[in-house]
Amino acid sequence: MPVIIALAGNPNSGKTTLFNALTGSHRHVGNWPGVTVERRSGALEVEGRNLEVVDLPGTYSLSAKSEDERIAASFLAESQVDLIINVLDASNLERNLYLTTQLLELGKPVVFVLNMMDDAEQRGIQLDIPALETLLGGPVVPTIGNRAEGVDALKTELLKVLDGTESKVRNFPAETAGHGPMDYGHDIEGELAKVAAHVKRDEDLAGSIKPRWLSLQLLEGSAEAIKLVEGSHAREAIMAQLEASRTFLHAHLGEDAATLLAEHRYGFLHGLVQEVAKLPETPEVSHTTKLDRLLTHRHLGIPIFLAVMVAIYTLSFVIGKYPQNWIDKGFKILSAFLSAKLPAGELTSLLTDGIIPGVSAVIVFLPVIMILMGCISFLEDTGYMARAAFIMDRAMHLMGLHGKSFIPLLMGSGCNVPAIQAARTIESKQDRLITILVTPLISCSARLQVYIVIAGTFFKPFGAALAVIAMHFLGFGLAMVIGRILRSTLFSGPSAPFVMELPPYRMPVLKATIIHMWDKAKVFLTRAGTTIFAGATLVWFLSRYPGIANADWNHEYQQQRTAVMALQIPDAQKDERLKDLDLAKESRIVNHSLAAGLGKFAEPVMRPILDPDHKRTEAWKDVIALTAGFVAKEIVVSTMAVIHQASEQPGAGEKLSPLQVSLRDHTGLTPLTALAFMIFTLIYTPCLGTVAMIRREAGSWGWAGFSVAYGLGLGWLLAWSTVVFGRMMGFV
Amino acid sequence: MTQNQQDDTNSDSSSGTRFLSQLLPGMSATVVQLQAKGAIRQRLLEMGFIRGATLKVEKLAPMGDPMELVLKGYHLSLRRDEGACILVQPVTQSLG
């Protein structure tokens, strides 16, 4: 069993930077069990000894009110944690030490890290480190996380404490003496001791958590602590004492226990900070305040924010498009090469039409995920992310969302997949879930490709442009409405407080950004990638079988090929004919596939939308296209091209592509049903990548299933209403 | 909502206390009482909103909400309806 070291501290205390500096390449990034809070752990080797460092979520306390705090509190209380590193922002000591007052109650050795020493010095704060060590009862190591300064000294201290050779570690009086590291005064200490005495009557309970610590949490009203007690045989006695103590304290001291404890802690810390820190007489206006005069300025704040958003959007989706195209092209070339070299058949098709496009469908997301996550990590590390939330919160709150929901929603118009991943920055679970669930309504660039083909076919240029723009507004509008509905139904609990720190601006460490990008990419590949790949292969199977295995068709195709090859015509014409043959063969396979069966089966459901007069014979083909579009929405177009045996590429000098001509002249779609088709495409279901990402980020298949189901329902309803109202108003 | 509280406080001008949400940018105050309950109360307490703590309203967000405060030497933001649960005593000298 390696020694386990937990890294605890406030958000923005530079904990993760320190974690990166401590651990090398042996890092593991995952989620904490059962929740979608990132868990980072890494190996640290000091003088031949193996230590494991676990980076806890940044928290302001261990009160276990939020998911992050629950995780941190329960992990720290576990007996397997051998040592705690408490990271403190030296420039903001008093509030950072609040968590410390709780950490000290855990009874584990703590090494304190005074991070951001450069910041503190810049602000003219002088710290008396030996005095701090005496007051806290443990070694204090000053560091500058950004430059990895002080990390070696920290490693040395860790070993000393683990070996028991560190003289600065103060051993608090034994539990029986009644007092912990902090004295809460006669009344509170008295009641704490009484509750603890009852806890001790259950030896199992007292063995699993320190009685004093449990009693403190009980007094504070922690639901987790009460849960622990509920399993105990001393439950009734403990709860009765707790009630009596609370009543006593309230009557005696005039406030509830949680308030009294907080006041005592801050009272103690205020004194402590005055003893160890010398603040400048006239504090200089910090560079943060100066920057904020501009960045959160009443008039300039929003334009600057929008400019930052445009920059990120461009980087991710315009610049990111290039590597995406290379990847796409690369895989297409590979696919074409293999299908030319390998004997035609099912296995080749599995490889060239199933596996390779499947892998490509996964890899193609990587550039945009890495760029966008890099940008967001950069914004977070600078401190601007909190300002972005500050600026946008009013507008987003109206939608039932959080200021930090804006970025996922906006980025969703590029691609929903990384947008949902970006929702990680939202701390509150409710706000995060609502954001994740409404993001798929934001129309992405893949859906744009479908609109362009359909609108270009059925509307005049101006009307087509209007229709495409309308789709985007519809998406945003729906996100707003659904957000509010979710907030008032499924997530109607009290919304999480928007008490958000606006941390000082800091220069991000490039290495941290790169590590973050890499971690996100890895998580995507291993967790979401497998789902996307499996889904893509399934859709390949549905759209190829049983036709692909039909020996007669294959024979027929070979004969036709041979016949064309034997013709005495120029090569260019020959190629043209061969291409037509290939398309005819593919079209035949798809139109007789399992997907076609599914399309025919589901066609009655879609009839009110796609075929309200019941005049079309081929409406089921649209259903195949939509089914294939589940993999990625742009596939709707390429599938239609195959189904209708018409190319997507317009011929020279032609305005419409053969596919568009075919859609207009042969399918029986009308402008109105075409519009309904576009609306349905916008909403009907998140694409496979998005579903995989929702599963990953919402933490369950349940939410992923929910978003598919409500998408289908809502999409149908809106497309149907469009047809019904459109017809009432005389459109066809 | 804010309007009502304004009226309440005006009628109670002898004590001089008002809600944090009613302070204007640049004003300082000390915390008198938290009227929030549950998770919000707990969060406010641990962030330093305890009786007697001094805070200053730095500015309002461009759309008027939330507000930026300075408390215990650090900056934080708070929605106004959360500020409406915090009773404060304005510190007079900073009004001028």
Side-chain angles (χ1 to χ4, degrees), chain A residues 60-61 63 65 69 92 94-95 98 123 220 255-256 259 263 266 292 296-298 390-391 393-394 397 497-502, chain B residues 39-48 50-51 58-63 65-68 72-79 82:
Chain A
Y60 295 108
S61 86
S63 304
K65 292 277 179 196
E69 288 165 2
N92 181 8
E94 193 172 332
R95 208 220 43 232
Y98 187 87
R123 289 172 63 174
E220 272 193 309
E255 276 288 0
D256 64 89
T259 308
E263 286 181 352
Y266 269 117
D292 265 340
T296 60
H297 185 270
R298 248 174 75 189
F390 178 69
I391 290 169
D393 186 64
R394 176 86 194 266
H397 195 42
F498 187 77
V499 186
M500 181 183 67
E501 184 180 0
L502 296 167
Chain B
I40 297 188
R41 182 186 183 89
Q42 187 68 40
R43 172 52 63 90
L44 289 172
L45 284 172
E46 55 201 41
M47 296 301 272
I50 52 163
R51 276 184 290 180
E58 187 79 11
K59 64 170 75 164
L60 300 180
M63 287 183 246
D65 193 21
M67 55 205 306
E68 177 180 348
K72 298 200 174 290
Y74 76 97
H75 293 243
L76 84 166
S77 83
L78 197 72
R79 285 192 185 131
E82 287 156 356

Side-chain angles (χ1 to χ4, degrees), chain A residues 261-312:
Chain A
L261 290 173
E263 286 181 352
H264 269 281
R265 287 175 186 143
Y266 269 117
F268 166 73
L269 294 177
H270 193 71
L272 183 148
V273 168
Q274 285 200 318
E275 243 175 274
V276 302
K278 229 171 80 187
L279 302 172
E281 297 270 316
T282 45
E284 259 181 74
V285 178
S286 66
H287 63 286
T288 293
T289 308
K290 285 183 204 154
L291 267 172
D292 265 340
R293 277 184 196 152
L294 185 68
L295 296 178
T296 60
H297 185 270
R298 248 174 75 189
H299 303 299
L300 295 175
I302 294 176
I304 292 175
F305 168 73
L306 292 177
V308 171
M309 291 299 111
V310 168
I312 294 180

